[in-house]
C-alpha cells in the first residue's frame, strides 16, 4: 500500500539542458493531445472511484496540468515507435508528467497526519448533474484487462499504461515514475509484468473517457433526496414544527400503484423463481416462430444467485455497470417476469439472456467476480421466423458466437464478397455456434464481409453482425417480394455491395435488402452498368436508410451515388427509385447518367444539366462538376424525385 509520504517526495531537480516550457506551449500540447492525456489519467486512477467519477476526475486532472508561468520540462523519452504525434514535444512531456503525478496522488489514502493533496479531494469542475457518464462498453478482453489492472497498485497501473499507451521502454518508464513521485518504480514495473501485454486494448473505446455514454442517476434515490430536502426546508420555515413528511407521502397519487420497491408486479419481475421457462419441445407444436418459444438453455439455468443479479442489474444498473442499447430501445426494467433464453458460461464470462416480449436483454459478468458487469439491450418486437433465428452470445478477439433458435439444424460462415468460395460449416453445440469472424468492429480497408448462414425449418437464412444483439437479416429482390439470399445468383448480386453494410453498424437494423433495379448501356461503348438500391429497415421503424449504388462493368465494388434517411422510396410502401451520377468515359467525356426502376416512364434532368428521355434511363453530355435535379414520371402519372 502506498503511503502519504509518496505524494510529498520532491520532483528531481531540472538540469540546465532541460527545455523551458511556457504557458502557451503547454496549452497547445494539452489541447492537441487532450484525449490521450485523459485516457492516461483514466487508466491510472483507482477503479474504486467508479466509472463516472473516474471520467470526471480524469478530465479535471488533465485540465489542471497547465503551469502558471514558464517552467522547465523534462527531456522527452525516446519512443518505441519514433515519429509519433507527440515525439520531441517538451510541452507534451511536461503536461503528461503533471497528469501522471496527479493521478498517482489521487489514489493515495487520506490520513490525519497531513493535509490532503488537491487530487485527493472530490472534483469541483467539471461536473455533470442528473447524469452518469462513462465510456462505451468493450468486449470480454477489455473487461478482463480492466479487472486485472484494478488489482494492481496505482504505480503498477501507471507502469503498464506508460509501456503500452505511450510505448516507452522500461528505463524511461522508471524515470517518469520517479519524477511523478513513485516510491518504488522497480516494484511498479514488476507488478505490471503480472498482467499480459495486451497493449492494443488500451486504445479501445472501453478506456476512452472522451467518447462517453450518458444514463440517468438513481431516479428513485434522487426523488427521495428531493423530498427530504423539501421536508428540511419546510421544517426550518416553521421552526421545527414539522419533523418529517406524512407517512403516506407528499400527497395522493390517485389510482397509481405503490412505488417500485413495494409494487407486486415489479417485485415479481425481479424474482428468479418467476422467470418464464419454455419447455424444450414447445416450438415443435406451437404456431409461433418467435423468441417466445425458445427453451431455456445453458449450464447455469439453475444458478439462482446469477439470475437474481442479472434481474437486479436490469432494473437498477449500478454506476460501474456498462449499459448499451440500440437506438430506440428503452433500457428500463422488465414490466413483469421475463423469459429465460440462456444462462451459462461462455469463454471467461457468465452470460444471461432474457426476453420480455419487446427486448432481448443480455447480462454478462466475469467468471471470477461481478466487477465490470455489462448489460446490453436490443429491440426484437415482431421478430418471427428468420428474424428470430439467432442472438449474439459473446464477442471476443474479433469473433462472434451465436445462440441459435431450436429449429436451426445447420450453421455456416460465408464471405459475402466471395460468392464462389462456398460456406464453411460451424459446429452447433446446444444451439451455440463455434466462433466466426465478425465485421462489426473491424476497421480499415474492406476486403471481406463474413456473414452467418443458418438452415432449418425456415429454409436458409443469411444474417450479418452489425454490432448488436440480434443480427440483421439479408434479403434480395424487389421491395414487397424480397427473398432470403440463397442460390448463386443472389449471392453474386450481393457481393459488390457487401462493404456498404459498414455504414449501418450500431443503427438498430432489422433487415437489409439489395434490389438490382436497372441496367444501363454506357455511352462511348463503355459496357453495361448496374444500378442497385440497398435499403435498411430498423426495429424501431424510423431511421430507415436507402442507398443508390452504381457499378461499372468489371467493378469490384459498387459506388454509393445517393442516400436518404426516413424515406419510403425503395421500400415496400413505395417500390420505386430514381438516382443519377456524373460519369467520365474512357475517352474523357463527362455524362449525367440516371436510372429509375422499371415502372418509370420518363426521366428529366434540370439545373446544371438539362435533358429528358422516354423510359427509365437517361444519358446526357455534361461538364465536370455539374449538378442537376432529377424528376421521373411513373406509368400511372405520379412524379418522383431523384434519391439524394
Amino acid at each position: 500500500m502506498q503511503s502519504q509520504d509518496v505524494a510529498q517526495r520532491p520532483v528531481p531537480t531540472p538540469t540546465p539542458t532541460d527545455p523551458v516550457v511556457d504557458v502557451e506551449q503547454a496549452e497547445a500540447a494539452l489541447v492537441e493531445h487532450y484525449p490521450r492525456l485523459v485516457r492516461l489519467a483514466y487508466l491510472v486512477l483507482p477503479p474504486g472511484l467508479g466509472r463516472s467519477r473516474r471520467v470526471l476526475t480524469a478530465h479535471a486532472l488533465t485540465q489542471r496540468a497547465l503551469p502558471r508561468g514558464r517552467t522547465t520540462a523534462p527531456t522527452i523519452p525516446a519512443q518505441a515507435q519514433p515519429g509519433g504525434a507527440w515525439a520531441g514535444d517538451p510541452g507534451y512531456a511536461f503536461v503528461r508528467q503533471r497528469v501522471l503525478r496527479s493521478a498517482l496522488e489521487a489514489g493515495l489514502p487520506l490520513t490525519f497526519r497531513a493535509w490532503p493533496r488537491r487530487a485527493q479531494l472530490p472534483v469541483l469542475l467539471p461536473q455533470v448533474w442528473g447524469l452518469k457518464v462513462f465510456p462505451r462498453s468493450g468486449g470480454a478482453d477489455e473487461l478482463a484487462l480492466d479487472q486485472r489492472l484494478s488489482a494492481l497498485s496505482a504505480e503498477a497501473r501507471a507502469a503498464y499504461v506508460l509501456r503500452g499507451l505511450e510505448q516507452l521502454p522500461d528505463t524511461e518508464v522508471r524515470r517518469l515514475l520517479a519524477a511523478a513521485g513513485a516510491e518504488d518504480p522497480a516494484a511498479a514495473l514488476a507488478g505490471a509484468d503480472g498482467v499480459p501485454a495486451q497493449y492494443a486494448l488500451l486504445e479501445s473505446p472501453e478506456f476512452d473517457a472522451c467518447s462517453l455514454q450518458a444514463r440517468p442517476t438513481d431516479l428513485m434515490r434522487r426523488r427521495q433526496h428531493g423530498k427530504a430536502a423539501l421536508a428540511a426546508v419546510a421544517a426550518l420555515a416553521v421552526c421545527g414544527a414539522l419533523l418529517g413528511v406524512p407517512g403516506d407521502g407528499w400527497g395522493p397519487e390517485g389510482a397509481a400503484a405503490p412505488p417500485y420497491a413495494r409494487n407486486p408486479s415489479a417485485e415479481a419481475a425481479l424474482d428468479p423463481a418467476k422467470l418464464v421457462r419454455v419447455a424444450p419441445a414447445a416450438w415443435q407444436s406451437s404456431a409461433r416462430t418467435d423468441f417466445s418459444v425458445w427453451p431455456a438453455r445453458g449450464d447455469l439455468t439453475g444458478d439462482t444467485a446469477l439470475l437474481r443479479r442479472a434481474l437486479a442489474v436490469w432494473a437498477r444498473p449500478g454506476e460501474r455497470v456498462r449499459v448499451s442499447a440500440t437506438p430506440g430501445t428503452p433500457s428500463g426494467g422488465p414490466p413483469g417476469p421475463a423469459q429465460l433464453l440462456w444462462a451459462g458460461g461462455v469463454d471467461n464470462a457468465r452470460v444471461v439472456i432474457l426476453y420480455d416480449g419487446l427486448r432481448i436483454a443480455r447480462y454478462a459478468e466475469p467468471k471470477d467476480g461481478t466487477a465490470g458487469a455489462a448489460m446490453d439491450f436490443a429491440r426484437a418486437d415482431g421478430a418471427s421466423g428468420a428474424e428470430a433465428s439467432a442472438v449474439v452470445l459473446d464477442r471476443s478477439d474479433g469473433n462472434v458466437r451465436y445462440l441459435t433458435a431450436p429449429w436451426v439444424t445447420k450453421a455456416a460462415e460465408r464471405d459475402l464478397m466471395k460468392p464462389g468460395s462456398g460456406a464453411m460449416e460451424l459446429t452447433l453445440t446446444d444451439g451455440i455456434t463455434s466462433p466466426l469472424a465478425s465485421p462489426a468492429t473491424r476497421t480499415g480497408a474492406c476486403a471481406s464481409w463474413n456473414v452467418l448462414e443458418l438452415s432449418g425449418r425456415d429454409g436458409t437464412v443469411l444474417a450479418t453482425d452489425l454490432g448488436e444483439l440480434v443480427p440483421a437479416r439479408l434479403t434480395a429482390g424487389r421491395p414487397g417480394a424480397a427473398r432470403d439470399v440463397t442460390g448463386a445468383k443472389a449471392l453474386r448480386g450481393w457481393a459488390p455491395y457487401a462493404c456498404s453494410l459498414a455504414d449501418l453498424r450500431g443503427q438498430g437494423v432489422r433487415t437489409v435488402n439489395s434490389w438490382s433495379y436497372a441496367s444501363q448501356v454506357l455511352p462511348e461503348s463503355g459496357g453495361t452498368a448496374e444500378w442497385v438500391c440497398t435499403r435498411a429497415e430498423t426495429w424501431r421503424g424510423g431511421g430507415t436508410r436507402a442507398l443508390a449504388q452504381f457499378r461499372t462493368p468489371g467493378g469490384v465494388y459498387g459506388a454509393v451515388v445517393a442516400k436518404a434517411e426516413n424515406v419510403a422510396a425503395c421500400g415496400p410502401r413505395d417500390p420505386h427509385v430514381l438516382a443519377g451520377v456524373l460519369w467520365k468515359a474512357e475517352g474523357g467525356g463527362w455524362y449525367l447518367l440516371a436510372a429509375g426502376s422499371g415502372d418509370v416512364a420518363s426521366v428529366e434532368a434540370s439545373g446544371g444539366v438539362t435533358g429528358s428521355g422516354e423510359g427509365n434511363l437517361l444519358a446526357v453530355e455534361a461538364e465536370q462538376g455539374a449538378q442537376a435535379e432529377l424528376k421521373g414520371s411513373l406509368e400511372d402519372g405520379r412524379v418522383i424525385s431523384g434519391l439524394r
Side-chain angles (χ1 to χ4, degrees), residues 159-228:
Y160 188 90
V161 173
L162 290 173
R163 277 177 174 171
L165 190 65
E166 295 297 285
Q167 304 174 18
L168 298 177
D170 285 359
T171 54
E172 298 298 346
V173 171
R174 189 179 294 107
R175 190 175 66 83
L176 279 180
L177 288 176
E183 186 175 24
D184 192 348
L189 286 167
D193 289 337
V195 178
Q198 298 173 298
Y199 298 140
L201 297 179
L202 297 178
E203 300 282 358
S204 166
E206 171 77 24
F207 308 113
D208 184 2
C210 288
S211 179
L212 304 171
Q213 297 186 102
R215 291 291 183 274
T217 54
D218 191 327
L219 301 179
M220 290 299 298
R221 184 176 297 176
R222 272 168 49 187
R223 180 178 296 176
Q224 292 168 358
H225 288 176
K227 289 182 177 181

Side-chain angles (χ1 to χ4, degrees), residues 35 118 171 180 195 219 261 295 339 346 349 377 449-450 452 629:
R118 186 180 181 187
T171 54
V195 178
L219 301 179
Q339 178 184 344
V346 184
F377 298 93
W449 194 277
N450 295 314
L452 176 68
E629 297 285 336

Side-chain angles (χ1 to χ4, degrees), residues 2 74 165 179 192 204 209 219 300 333 342 419 479 506 530 552-553 586 610 612 631:
Q2 298 169 336
L165 190 65
S204 166
L219 301 179
L300 296 178
W342 167 269
E530 181 184 30
T552 55
E586 289 187 2
T610 58
S612 61
K631 182 174 64 175

Side-chain angles (χ1 to χ4, degrees), residues 528-610:
T528 302
E530 181 184 30
W531 291 85
V532 168
C533 185
T534 306
R535 181 180 174 90
E537 302 287 350
T538 67
W539 290 100
R540 64 189 182 279
T544 58
R545 292 190 181 187
L547 307 178
Q549 303 193 63
F550 175 77
R551 186 169 71 97
T552 55
V556 178
Y557 306 105
V560 177
V561 298
K563 63 173 63 177
E565 291 191 20
N566 295 313
V567 297
C570 194
R573 295 186 59 186
D574 188 16
H576 317 288
V577 65
L578 173 64
V581 65
L582 203 61
W583 175 77
K584 183 180 180 181
E586 289 187 2
W590 286 88
Y591 294 86
L592 171 67
L593 305 178
S597 48
D599 51 0
V600 174
S602 64
V603 180
E604 179 182 351
S606 59
V609 182
T610 58

